[in-house]
Structures are given as C-alpha cells and as structure tokens.
Amino acid sequence: MKRVIVTGKEQAGVAESPVPKAKEDWVVVKIYAAPACTEYKAFAAGVNQDQFGHEAAGEVVEVAQPGKVKVGDRVVVMPQNPCGKCVYCLAGEYIHCEDTVDFAALHGSRNGSATMAQYLVKQDWLLVPIPDGVSYEHAGMACCGLGPTFGAFQQMQVDRYDTVLVTGLGAVGLGGIVNARYRGARVIGVESNKWRAQRGLELGAEAVIDPTDDDALQQILALTKNGRGVDKAADCSGVVGAHRLCIDATRRKGQVSFIGESGADTPLRISPDMIRKGLVLIGRWHYNMADTHQMMAMIADLGPKLDPLISHTFSIDQIQDAWALQLSGECAKVIINPWG
C-alpha cells in the first residue's frame, strides 16, 4: 500500500508498505478520505515521522472476529489508540486516555497506524458508522474539521441566544463557525489571513476582525449587546494574543474554550479575569463518544453546506502540493485521497 512520508525540508512523497492485518478487535479500514491536519509542520521542518495522519473515513475490509463492525461498513476513524478500559475511555472521553496502546508492540511495527495511507488498522469501538447518503469527504469532518469546536460548544451549551467569538480561522476555526451557526448563534471571527477571513464570512460569520488592528477588541465589543462582550469564545489559534483577546472580549459570567495547541504561557489575572469577571475557562481537545450520533446527524443535515469547509482535495501522490498549500494558509480543510 501507499503511505505518505517526508523526505526532506519541505519535501514529501509516498512509500510502499505491506497492507496491515486484522487482529483481535483491530480491523482493517480501506481509507477513502484522509483530512489533513497539522502534519504539514513536520513537512516544513523536514522531520519524517514515518506515519502521518489521524483523521479518516473509509470502509471496513477485514475483521479478525465478530465485533462492533463488519466488512462493508462505512466508518469514520476516531483518533489515537486509547486503552478502552480506563475511567476516561469508559466515560467516552477516550481522547484523554493515559494508558494508550503501544501500537508497535502489539502489531510488530507502526505500519497501519496512520491515516495518510491506503489502509489502517483500528479498534472497532473507535469506528463511527457513516449515515446513508453522507460522502466520505463530509464524514471525515467528524474528526478535527468539526470535532474540537463541536466538543467545546457542547460543553458551553452554545445556542441561538449566544454571540460566539472564534479566534483563528484555520480549518478548526472555520469548523467552529459551521458548528456555531448550526446551533443558531451569531459568530464573530478573528483572522489576519485574508483568504481565511473571506471563507469565514462565506461560512456564516457576521464579521471577521483583523487582530493586527489596534482597536480589534473595541471592534468586537461594538458588535455585542451594550458593548459588554460576547457570551462565549473559542480560541483555535493557540496564539497568546488570541487567548487574551478571548478573555478580554467575553462578558462577565461568560465562557472561554481553548482549543488551539499552544506551548506558550498566557498571562492570566486571577482577580480581574476570574474572580470579579466570573469567567469559566475550558480546555477542549475533542468530543465525547456519546455524542458521535449527534455529530453524524448534523453532518447529514448540513449536506452541501459543508462544501465550503473543504477547500481542496489532492491524491496521495500530490502530498507535496497539498502540504505546500497548507503552508500558504490559503485553504480550509484539505483532504487527501489515497486512491486518487
């Protein structure tokens, strides 16, 4: 089978590997759509991680024993390899599992562990059925395209009475606009990249503010009731300035969810930000497995309205072009077709 590799700094290609085999409750999935996430960062740095990708939609083609799926099932592949037994996994919060499976030790190598390939092996309980009539491309948005903000908005109980701020309109932030609008909320976006700002407007944001403007905070507040601030905010950028903007732009007793990965230290003022303002700050990575049916129902309901969230599709042999495009920032969700 083909799988994606990095061959040098901003250089990528494909390599051949054996097709993985089903084992115990691990089944083989033939991948038809592999949404790209942050793998392009390894491409930019020239770091070959050997196995790339954690999002996919495809068809079950081999099982080792009767289980939760059967050959021919169309499924979305959930990320990571959690244990399935700990308190977090049993509660549906598998993404926070601290006892993840050693894939290489169990299967003899890491081959088949990644989604940017023609096949992978996955625990059957991490495969979500795709409703009839939903394409593999749309179904693939149930991972990082829609998943992180879906989980955040579930926890914050976003509804039609809310004005929501979304900072950072990469693929995850654009998915946040889709999620918020589906719930009936008003959305204000924050993005400096003009391509992404325009796509945010097309997806339903009422306004997109440029964070490099000196009066960005004032512009946001002016769009809220009595200038008091947004009801809820979600940062999808991981940028310290965006963290502070979310905190400062959210009204008293509001909620802020941090979604974008960040290794930086964000200043937090306990008294004015937390005690006197009464903010609720949330860290959100993904969504609970119990909500997968609601996620897939939303995707089915949205149908063609999801098309603008997917800006480009490339064959696996065009991975060089796909990652170069992601580096430019002028794209929404990019999908890799392993068979195109």
Side-chain angles (χ1 to χ4, degrees):
M1 70 169 183
K2 291 181 178 180
R3 62 179 174 84
V4 166
I5 59 170
V6 168
T7 58
K9 186 177 176 62
E10 295 191 21
Q11 296 295 318
V14 296
E16 288 289 338
S17 296
V19 175
K21 298 294 184 181
K23 179 180 182 178
E24 299 170 358
D25 64 343
W26 294 71
V27 307
V28 179
V29 178
K30 184 176 183 179
I31 302 168
Y32 286 108
C37 194
T38 57
E39 298 84 8
Y40 70 90
K41 294 181 180 179
F43 164 74
V47 178
N48 185 24
Q49 299 170 349
D50 188 55
Q51 302 288 325
F52 288 94
H54 53 268
E55 307 178 56
E59 178 187 358
V60 176
V61 294
E62 184 186 358
V63 299
Q65 63 187 29
K68 296 183 181 298
V69 297
K70 63 183 184 302
V71 172
D73 284 352
R74 300 168 68 243
V75 294
V76 175
V77 179
M78 293 290 104
Q80 298 200 6
N81 296 305
C83 71
K85 301 174 182 178
C86 70
V87 62
Y88 301 112
C89 288
L90 294 177
E93 297 288 347
Y94 70 94
I95 201 74
H96 297 291
C97 177
E98 296 180 280
D99 303 310
T100 53
V101 176
D102 186 333
F103 186 96
L106 180 64
H107 296 279
S109 75
R110 293 181 62 219
N111 181 56
S113 64
T115 59
M116 287 186 175
Q118 292 179 317
Y119 297 92
L120 63 69
V121 285
K122 200 75 174 184
Q123 301 109 304
D124 59 6
W125 66 276
L126 288 171
L127 302 177
V128 177
I130 299 174
D132 292 342
V134 173
S135 69
Y136 286 117
E137 292 77 15
H138 283 179
M141 297 301 98
C143 295
C144 296
L146 294 170
T149 52
F150 178 86
F153 293 167
Q154 285 282 84
Q155 188 169 356
M156 294 193 294
Q157 297 182 320
V158 170
D159 61 27
R160 66 184 182 275
Y161 300 109
D162 289 325
T163 294
V164 176
L165 179 69
V166 179
T167 54
L169 301 185
V172 173
L174 292 172
I177 294 175
V178 174
N179 275 311
R181 292 296 300 131
Y182 184 76
R183 292 166 179 265
R186 292 177 65 229
V187 183
I188 301 169
V190 174
E191 176 59 57
S192 60
N193 181 290
K194 294 186 183 303
W195 191 99
R196 289 175 168 176
Q198 180 58 39
R199 186 56 59 101
L201 293 171
E202 292 171 8
L203 284 167
E206 183 174 305
V208 177
I209 307 301
D210 187 336
T212 64
D213 290 349
D214 292 338
D215 64 342
L217 175 59
Q218 288 69 35
Q219 290 182 54
I220 294 167
L221 294 177
L223 294 170
T224 65
K225 185 177 181 180
N226 298 322
R228 296 295 175 86
V230 300
D231 301 291
K232 283 137 192 186
D235 174 63
C236 302
S237 71
V239 175
V240 169
H243 293 165
R244 280 305 322 176
L245 189 60
C246 284
I247 292 169
D248 294 336
T250 300
R251 64 168 172 81
R252 293 190 174 202
K253 301 300 292 182
Q255 299 181 63
V256 178
S257 184
F258 301 106
I259 298 167
E261 295 281 357
S262 177
D265 294 329
T266 296
L268 182 63
R269 303 169 301 178
I270 297 303
S271 290
D273 294 339
M274 300 295 296
I275 298 174
R276 298 189 181 187
K277 199 169 185 179
L279 288 183
V280 174
L281 304 184
I282 298 167
R284 197 70 211 184
W285 194 356
H286 203 44
Y287 58 99
N288 192 288
M289 279 292 285
D291 293 329
T292 55
H293 294 296
Q294 185 175 339
M295 165 66 83
M296 299 312 298
M298 178 181 74
I299 289 173
D301 193 25
L302 284 168
K305 294 179 181 178
L306 268 179
D307 290 344
L309 183 58
I310 303 169
S311 61
H312 299 80
T313 300
F314 294 89
S315 73
I316 196 169
D317 295 312
Q318 297 173 307
I319 188 61
Q320 172 76 32
D321 295 333
W323 277 343
L325 174 67
Q326 283 189 283
L327 278 178
S328 76
E330 295 191 349
C331 58
K333 201 65 175 170
V334 172
I335 290 183
I336 306 302
N337 178 356
W339 302 93

